[in-house]
Amino acid sequence: MRDIIKVALAGLGTVGGGVAKALLKQADILSDRTGCKIELVAVSDLNKNRMSELEIPNTVSYFSDCLEMVDKSDADLFIELMGGADGIAYKYCQKVLNAKRHFVTANKAMLAHHGNEIAELSQKFGVLVGYEAAVAGGIPIIKSVREGLVSNRISQVYGILNGTCNYILTVMRETGKAFDEVLAEAQKLGYAEADPSFDIDGVDTAHKTALLGALAFGMPIDFDVLSVEGIRHISALDISFAEEMGYRIKLLGVGRKNDKGVSLNVYPCMIPQTSEIAHVDGVFNAVITEGDFVGHSMFVGRGAGETPTASAVVSDVADIAMGRGLPLLGLPQSKVKPVSIVDLSERVGKYYIRFEVMDKPGVVAEIAGILGAEGVSIASMIQRGESKDHVPLMMILHKSVEARVQAALEKIKKLDFVLQEPCMIRIEEV
């Protein structure tokens, strides 16, 4: 372990600013706890004014070009907080690793798409890559899975991994407001981006699920194997009905391993109100693992924001300063093996279905007939409201194979009395 480790930071946005503050203001604590002086020696950002805004001293070198910073700085460790799967963040990462320097990032998109290459480079050059902040913000889930659960074979890892979606679904439940209205409010409060598609379409959750799944199951990172579904189609009626039936709707990233292989998916689902994760609300995240020795473990905390994410970044810096670290996926790359992927169509479980249909005789019988022909049976049904034009028809289906449910819905949606695309929500008995 060195007496001093020099750190360079690329990106002085919200999280980057938090990291700079932590490295400067918590320097005494970090030194006491690591036995090593951790010194911020260089920063890079397009806006030089951030130096004064964050009260970064002039002894810290400023660069407008992060690639130039790699060439000219004598830092031992480089942090990336610019974001983006490709572009400058990816070039910076490659340059740092090829220069045989340690690397810390919060960039889940880059890791989800290029993580295998990054793992190979870090192993080739004998340097460490920290990415605790890339999944679930301030929750130490990467360290927990990679180190704390090292003696376990993990069969499941799942959770609420996006605070924006969890906030929207929580407020919809508490207020009865429509999705679009709550989304607009979330944007005003800064909980949702001006273009929220990355969050509400499930992409952000999918990046994190790809990383967690690869780490938990010892497989290569492969974003393309995920089936991804967001929350745009969830209505206040769905949330109200779920509550009435003893469920709550959450967007989950779900990874499971069984004798057939591994399934990795992102979708909104109904979960029992008796489940702990059903009560994780607002912008909070939660991750649950199932290990063969430890059993059921749950981790809850803030999944985003300046200070929680900065805390996770600095924890990686501290580990590297103390010479602690494991390969990116907890295994040497030679031990990371491809696995069979179980398609979502093979899922067996319960389903909630909502139809908007004309209010006329024979509707239920015809829908039930199509479901029955596909081997799908109805467990319960409710019709809400009266209208001359249309009514919502909600059904809970018995355990069924997803492919059969989807086949039935494809036929049902073509019926002349079905007025909208059917809404299907999986039920997870977690």
Side-chain angles (χ1 to χ4, degrees), residues 43-65:
V43 296
S44 173
D45 195 87
L46 294 176
N47 180 9
K48 190 175 183 179
N49 291 333
R50 290 292 285 160
M51 289 279 289
S52 58
E53 291 169 3
L54 295 168
E55 299 179 351
I56 298 173
N58 292 331
T59 53
V60 177
S61 300
Y62 167 79
F63 295 87
S64 60
D65 183 345

PDB file of all heavy atoms in Angstrom, residues 43-65:
ATOM      1  N   VAL A  43      -8.507  17.709 -12.335  1.00  0.00           N
ATOM      2  CA  VAL A  43      -9.917  17.566 -12.715  1.00  0.00           C
ATOM      3  C   VAL A  43     -10.079  17.971 -14.173  1.00  0.00           C
ATOM      4  O   VAL A  43      -9.282  18.746 -14.710  1.00  0.00           O
ATOM      5  CB  VAL A  43     -10.854  18.426 -11.837  1.00  0.00           C
ATOM      6  CG1 VAL A  43     -10.818  17.968 -10.388  1.00  0.00           C
ATOM      7  CG2 VAL A  43     -10.506  19.899 -11.953  1.00  0.00           C
ATOM      8  N   SER A  44     -11.137  17.449 -14.778  1.00  0.00           N
ATOM      9  CA  SER A  44     -11.444  17.812 -16.161  1.00  0.00           C
ATOM     10  C   SER A  44     -12.939  18.079 -16.290  1.00  0.00           C
ATOM     11  O   SER A  44     -13.769  17.301 -15.793  1.00  0.00           O
ATOM     12  CB  SER A  44     -11.043  16.666 -17.102  1.00  0.00           C
ATOM     13  OG  SER A  44     -11.483  16.931 -18.421  1.00  0.00           O
ATOM     14  N   ASP A  45     -13.270  19.176 -16.946  1.00  0.00           N
ATOM     15  CA  ASP A  45     -14.659  19.515 -17.225  1.00  0.00           C
ATOM     16  C   ASP A  45     -14.659  20.596 -18.305  1.00  0.00           C
ATOM     17  O   ASP A  45     -13.703  21.381 -18.413  1.00  0.00           O
ATOM     18  CB  ASP A  45     -15.362  20.032 -15.967  1.00  0.00           C
ATOM     19  CG  ASP A  45     -16.876  20.060 -16.112  1.00  0.00           C
ATOM     20  OD1 ASP A  45     -17.508  19.031 -15.823  1.00  0.00           O
ATOM     21  OD2 ASP A  45     -17.409  21.108 -16.529  1.00  0.00           O
ATOM     22  N   LEU A  46     -15.705  20.630 -19.107  1.00  0.00           N
ATOM     23  CA  LEU A  46     -15.776  21.653 -20.157  1.00  0.00           C
ATOM     24  C   LEU A  46     -15.959  23.048 -19.581  1.00  0.00           C
ATOM     25  O   LEU A  46     -15.619  24.047 -20.213  1.00  0.00           O
ATOM     26  CB  LEU A  46     -16.912  21.321 -21.125  1.00  0.00           C
ATOM     27  CG  LEU A  46     -16.735  20.044 -21.961  1.00  0.00           C
ATOM     28  CD1 LEU A  46     -17.974  19.788 -22.802  1.00  0.00           C
ATOM     29  CD2 LEU A  46     -15.493  20.127 -22.831  1.00  0.00           C
ATOM     30  N   ASN A  47     -16.501  23.130 -18.381  1.00  0.00           N
ATOM     31  CA  ASN A  47     -16.777  24.420 -17.730  1.00  0.00           C
ATOM     32  C   ASN A  47     -15.766  24.669 -16.615  1.00  0.00           C
ATOM     33  O   ASN A  47     -15.875  24.119 -15.516  1.00  0.00           O
ATOM     34  CB  ASN A  47     -18.205  24.418 -17.175  1.00  0.00           C
ATOM     35  CG  ASN A  47     -18.570  25.716 -16.493  1.00  0.00           C
ATOM     36  OD1 ASN A  47     -17.829  26.702 -16.559  1.00  0.00           O
ATOM     37  ND2 ASN A  47     -19.710  25.734 -15.818  1.00  0.00           N
ATOM     38  N   LYS A  48     -14.791  25.530 -16.865  1.00  0.00           N
ATOM     39  CA  LYS A  48     -13.752  25.802 -15.869  1.00  0.00           C
ATOM     40  C   LYS A  48     -14.307  26.500 -14.636  1.00  0.00           C
ATOM     41  O   LYS A  48     -13.722  26.413 -13.543  1.00  0.00           O
ATOM     42  CB  LYS A  48     -12.647  26.660 -16.494  1.00  0.00           C
ATOM     43  CG  LYS A  48     -11.416  26.781 -15.607  1.00  0.00           C
ATOM     44  CD  LYS A  48     -10.275  27.524 -16.277  1.00  0.00           C
ATOM     45  CE  LYS A  48      -9.045  27.555 -15.373  1.00  0.00           C
ATOM     46  NZ  LYS A  48      -7.905  28.254 -16.020  1.00  0.00           N
ATOM     47  N   ASN A  49     -15.455  27.165 -14.775  1.00  0.00           N
ATOM     48  CA  ASN A  49     -16.056  27.856 -13.631  1.00  0.00           C
ATOM     49  C   ASN A  49     -16.426  26.889 -12.497  1.00  0.00           C
ATOM     50  O   ASN A  49     -16.598  27.311 -11.355  1.00  0.00           O
ATOM     51  CB  ASN A  49     -17.305  28.627 -14.063  1.00  0.00           C
ATOM     52  CG  ASN A  49     -16.969  29.815 -14.938  1.00  0.00           C
ATOM     53  OD1 ASN A  49     -15.872  30.380 -14.838  1.00  0.00           O
ATOM     54  ND2 ASN A  49     -17.897  30.201 -15.816  1.00  0.00           N
ATOM     55  N   ARG A  50     -16.559  25.618 -12.830  1.00  0.00           N
ATOM     56  CA  ARG A  50     -16.885  24.645 -11.789  1.00  0.00           C
ATOM     57  C   ARG A  50     -15.783  24.558 -10.735  1.00  0.00           C
ATOM     58  O   ARG A  50     -16.040  24.200  -9.582  1.00  0.00           O
ATOM     59  CB  ARG A  50     -17.121  23.261 -12.404  1.00  0.00           C
ATOM     60  CG  ARG A  50     -18.389  23.150 -13.221  1.00  0.00           C
ATOM     61  CD  ARG A  50     -19.620  23.253 -12.347  1.00  0.00           C
ATOM     62  NE  ARG A  50     -19.878  22.048 -11.572  1.00  0.00           N
ATOM     63  CZ  ARG A  50     -20.626  21.995 -10.481  1.00  0.00           C
ATOM     64  NH1 ARG A  50     -21.184  23.103 -10.004  1.00  0.00           N
ATOM     65  NH2 ARG A  50     -20.815  20.850  -9.836  1.00  0.00           N
ATOM     66  N   MET A  51     -14.571  24.902 -11.130  1.00  0.00           N
ATOM     67  CA  MET A  51     -13.460  24.907 -10.165  1.00  0.00           C
ATOM     68  C   MET A  51     -13.764  25.861  -9.005  1.00  0.00           C
ATOM     69  O   MET A  51     -13.666  25.490  -7.832  1.00  0.00           O
ATOM     70  CB  MET A  51     -12.166  25.331 -10.855  1.00  0.00           C
ATOM     71  CG  MET A  51     -11.590  24.319 -11.825  1.00  0.00           C
ATOM     72  SD  MET A  51     -10.642  23.017 -11.011  1.00  0.00           S
ATOM     73  CE  MET A  51      -9.175  23.908 -10.473  1.00  0.00           C
ATOM     74  N   SER A  52     -14.154  27.079  -9.334  1.00  0.00           N
ATOM     75  CA  SER A  52     -14.443  28.061  -8.285  1.00  0.00           C
ATOM     76  C   SER A  52     -15.759  27.761  -7.583  1.00  0.00           C
ATOM     77  O   SER A  52     -15.883  27.943  -6.368  1.00  0.00           O
ATOM     78  CB  SER A  52     -14.471  29.469  -8.875  1.00  0.00           C
ATOM     79  OG  SER A  52     -15.437  29.569  -9.915  1.00  0.00           O
ATOM     80  N   GLU A  53     -16.757  27.283  -8.347  1.00  0.00           N
ATOM     81  CA  GLU A  53     -18.053  26.961  -7.743  1.00  0.00           C
ATOM     82  C   GLU A  53     -17.911  25.877  -6.673  1.00  0.00           C
ATOM     83  O   GLU A  53     -18.612  25.900  -5.655  1.00  0.00           O
ATOM     84  CB  GLU A  53     -19.028  26.508  -8.828  1.00  0.00           C
ATOM     85  CG  GLU A  53     -19.458  27.622  -9.782  1.00  0.00           C
ATOM     86  CD  GLU A  53     -20.207  27.095 -10.998  1.00  0.00           C
ATOM     87  OE1 GLU A  53     -20.440  25.871 -11.085  1.00  0.00           O
ATOM     88  OE2 GLU A  53     -20.545  27.914 -11.867  1.00  0.00           O
ATOM     89  N   LEU A  54     -17.027  24.942  -6.910  1.00  0.00           N
ATOM     90  CA  LEU A  54     -16.829  23.832  -5.977  1.00  0.00           C
ATOM     91  C   LEU A  54     -15.685  24.082  -5.001  1.00  0.00           C
ATOM     92  O   LEU A  54     -15.358  23.213  -4.191  1.00  0.00           O
ATOM     93  CB  LEU A  54     -16.561  22.539  -6.760  1.00  0.00           C
ATOM     94  CG  LEU A  54     -17.710  22.035  -7.630  1.00  0.00           C
ATOM     95  CD1 LEU A  54     -17.244  20.934  -8.570  1.00  0.00           C
ATOM     96  CD2 LEU A  54     -18.863  21.531  -6.761  1.00  0.00           C
ATOM     97  N   GLU A  55     -15.084  25.265  -5.098  1.00  0.00           N
ATOM     98  CA  GLU A  55     -13.979  25.660  -4.224  1.00  0.00           C
ATOM     99  C   GLU A  55     -12.813  24.679  -4.311  1.00  0.00           C
ATOM    100  O   GLU A  55     -12.188  24.297  -3.311  1.00  0.00           O
ATOM    101  CB  GLU A  55     -14.452  25.805  -2.782  1.00  0.00           C
ATOM    102  CG  GLU A  55     -15.541  26.869  -2.609  1.00  0.00           C
ATOM    103  CD  GLU A  55     -16.029  27.005  -1.171  1.00  0.00           C
ATOM    104  OE1 GLU A  55     -15.647  26.157  -0.322  1.00  0.00           O
ATOM    105  OE2 GLU A  55     -16.783  27.933  -0.885  1.00  0.00           O
ATOM    106  N   ILE A  56     -12.529  24.267  -5.538  1.00  0.00           N
ATOM    107  CA  ILE A  56     -11.374  23.399  -5.775  1.00  0.00           C
ATOM    108  C   ILE A  56     -10.124  24.280  -5.840  1.00  0.00           C
ATOM    109  O   ILE A  56     -10.064  25.223  -6.634  1.00  0.00           O
ATOM    110  CB  ILE A  56     -11.540  22.606  -7.091  1.00  0.00           C
ATOM    111  CG1 ILE A  56     -12.774  21.683  -6.990  1.00  0.00           C
ATOM    112  CG2 ILE A  56     -10.292  21.786  -7.400  1.00  0.00           C
ATOM    113  CD1 ILE A  56     -13.140  20.977  -8.285  1.00  0.00           C
ATOM    114  N   PRO A  57      -9.137  24.015  -5.023  1.00  0.00           N
ATOM    115  CA  PRO A  57      -7.963  24.902  -4.961  1.00  0.00           C
ATOM    116  C   PRO A  57      -7.147  24.888  -6.257  1.00  0.00           C
ATOM    117  O   PRO A  57      -7.188  23.928  -7.030  1.00  0.00           O
ATOM    118  CB  PRO A  57      -7.156  24.333  -3.795  1.00  0.00           C
ATOM    119  CG  PRO A  57      -7.597  22.911  -3.670  1.00  0.00           C
ATOM    120  CD  PRO A  57      -9.041  22.893  -4.064  1.00  0.00           C
ATOM    121  N   ASN A  58      -6.398  25.954  -6.453  1.00  0.00           N
ATOM    122  CA  ASN A  58      -5.583  26.096  -7.660  1.00  0.00           C
ATOM    123  C   ASN A  58      -4.448  25.088  -7.724  1.00  0.00           C
ATOM    124  O   ASN A  58      -3.816  24.916  -8.776  1.00  0.00           O
ATOM    125  CB  ASN A  58      -5.017  27.515  -7.751  1.00  0.00           C
ATOM    126  CG  ASN A  58      -6.111  28.542  -8.013  1.00  0.00           C
ATOM    127  OD1 ASN A  58      -7.131  28.225  -8.629  1.00  0.00           O
ATOM    128  ND2 ASN A  58      -5.904  29.776  -7.546  1.00  0.00           N
ATOM    129  N   THR A  59      -4.158  24.427  -6.607  1.00  0.00           N
ATOM    130  CA  THR A  59      -3.134  23.375  -6.620  1.00  0.00           C
ATOM    131  C   THR A  59      -3.583  22.145  -7.387  1.00  0.00           C
ATOM    132  O   THR A  59      -2.766  21.292  -7.737  1.00  0.00           O
ATOM    133  CB  THR A  59      -2.782  22.972  -5.177  1.00  0.00           C
ATOM    134  OG1 THR A  59      -3.992  22.633  -4.479  1.00  0.00           O
ATOM    135  CG2 THR A  59      -2.078  24.108  -4.448  1.00  0.00           C
ATOM    136  N   VAL A  60      -4.895  22.056  -7.640  1.00  0.00           N
ATOM    137  CA  VAL A  60      -5.448  20.969  -8.454  1.00  0.00           C
ATOM    138  C   VAL A  60      -5.422  21.416  -9.917  1.00  0.00           C
ATOM    139  O   VAL A  60      -5.984  22.458 -10.255  1.00  0.00           O
ATOM    140  CB  VAL A  60      -6.889  20.625  -8.017  1.00  0.00           C
ATOM    141  CG1 VAL A  60      -7.478  19.546  -8.930  1.00  0.00           C
ATOM    142  CG2 VAL A  60      -6.909  20.173  -6.560  1.00  0.00           C
ATOM    143  N   SER A  61      -4.787  20.640 -10.763  1.00  0.00           N
ATOM    144  CA  SER A  61      -4.668  20.996 -12.180  1.00  0.00           C
ATOM    145  C   SER A  61      -6.009  20.874 -12.877  1.00  0.00           C
ATOM    146  O   SER A  61      -6.771  19.922 -12.630  1.00  0.00           O
ATOM    147  CB  SER A  61      -3.652  20.090 -12.872  1.00  0.00           C
ATOM    148  OG  SER A  61      -2.383  20.205 -12.279  1.00  0.00           O
ATOM    149  N   TYR A  62      -6.301  21.844 -13.752  1.00  0.00           N
ATOM    150  CA  TYR A  62      -7.538  21.828 -14.527  1.00  0.00           C
ATOM    151  C   TYR A  62      -7.248  21.481 -15.986  1.00  0.00           C
ATOM    152  O   TYR A  62      -6.288  21.995 -16.579  1.00  0.00           O
ATOM    153  CB  TYR A  62      -8.261  23.175 -14.475  1.00  0.00           C
ATOM    154  CG  TYR A  62      -9.362  23.292 -15.512  1.00  0.00           C
ATOM    155  CD1 TYR A  62     -10.601  22.696 -15.294  1.00  0.00           C
ATOM    156  CD2 TYR A  62      -9.139  23.952 -16.723  1.00  0.00           C
ATOM    157  CE1 TYR A  62     -11.599  22.770 -16.256  1.00  0.00           C
ATOM    158  CE2 TYR A  62     -10.135  24.029 -17.685  1.00  0.00           C
ATOM    159  CZ  TYR A  62     -11.361  23.433 -17.453  1.00  0.00           C
ATOM    160  OH  TYR A  62     -12.349  23.498 -18.410  1.00  0.00           O
ATOM    161  N   PHE A  63      -8.092  20.616 -16.576  1.00  0.00           N
ATOM    162  CA  PHE A  63      -8.010  20.269 -17.993  1.00  0.00           C
ATOM    163  C   PHE A  63      -9.399  20.356 -18.598  1.00  0.00           C
ATOM    164  O   PHE A  63     -10.377  19.877 -18.005  1.00  0.00           O
ATOM    165  CB  PHE A  63      -7.478  18.847 -18.184  1.00  0.00           C
ATOM    166  CG  PHE A  63      -6.065  18.630 -17.730  1.00  0.00           C
ATOM    167  CD1 PHE A  63      -5.790  18.294 -16.404  1.00  0.00           C
ATOM    168  CD2 PHE A  63      -5.012  18.764 -18.608  1.00  0.00           C
ATOM    169  CE1 PHE A  63      -4.492  18.093 -15.973  1.00  0.00           C
ATOM    170  CE2 PHE A  63      -3.700  18.564 -18.189  1.00  0.00           C
ATOM    171  CZ  PHE A  63      -3.446  18.230 -16.866  1.00  0.00           C
ATOM    172  N   SER A  64      -9.491  20.946 -19.776  1.00  0.00           N
ATOM    173  CA  SER A  64     -10.768  20.932 -20.497  1.00  0.00           C
ATOM    174  C   SER A  64     -10.937  19.614 -21.253  1.00  0.00           C
ATOM    175  O   SER A  64     -12.051  19.233 -21.601  1.00  0.00           O
ATOM    176  CB  SER A  64     -10.841  22.107 -21.474  1.00  0.00           C
ATOM    177  OG  SER A  64      -9.789  22.037 -22.412  1.00  0.00           O
ATOM    178  N   ASP A  65      -9.838  18.930 -21.493  1.00  0.00           N
ATOM    179  CA  ASP A  65      -9.828  17.675 -22.255  1.00  0.00           C
ATOM    180  C   ASP A  65      -9.378  16.545 -21.332  1.00  0.00           C
ATOM    181  O   ASP A  65      -8.227  16.524 -20.868  1.00  0.00           O
ATOM    182  CB  ASP A  65      -8.872  17.804 -23.446  1.00  0.00           C
ATOM    183  CG  ASP A  65      -8.855  16.567 -24.339  1.00  0.00           C
ATOM    184  OD1 ASP A  65      -9.357  15.512 -23.902  1.00  0.00           O
ATOM    185  OD2 ASP A  65      -8.312  16.652 -25.454  1.00  0.00           O
TER     186      ASP A  65
END
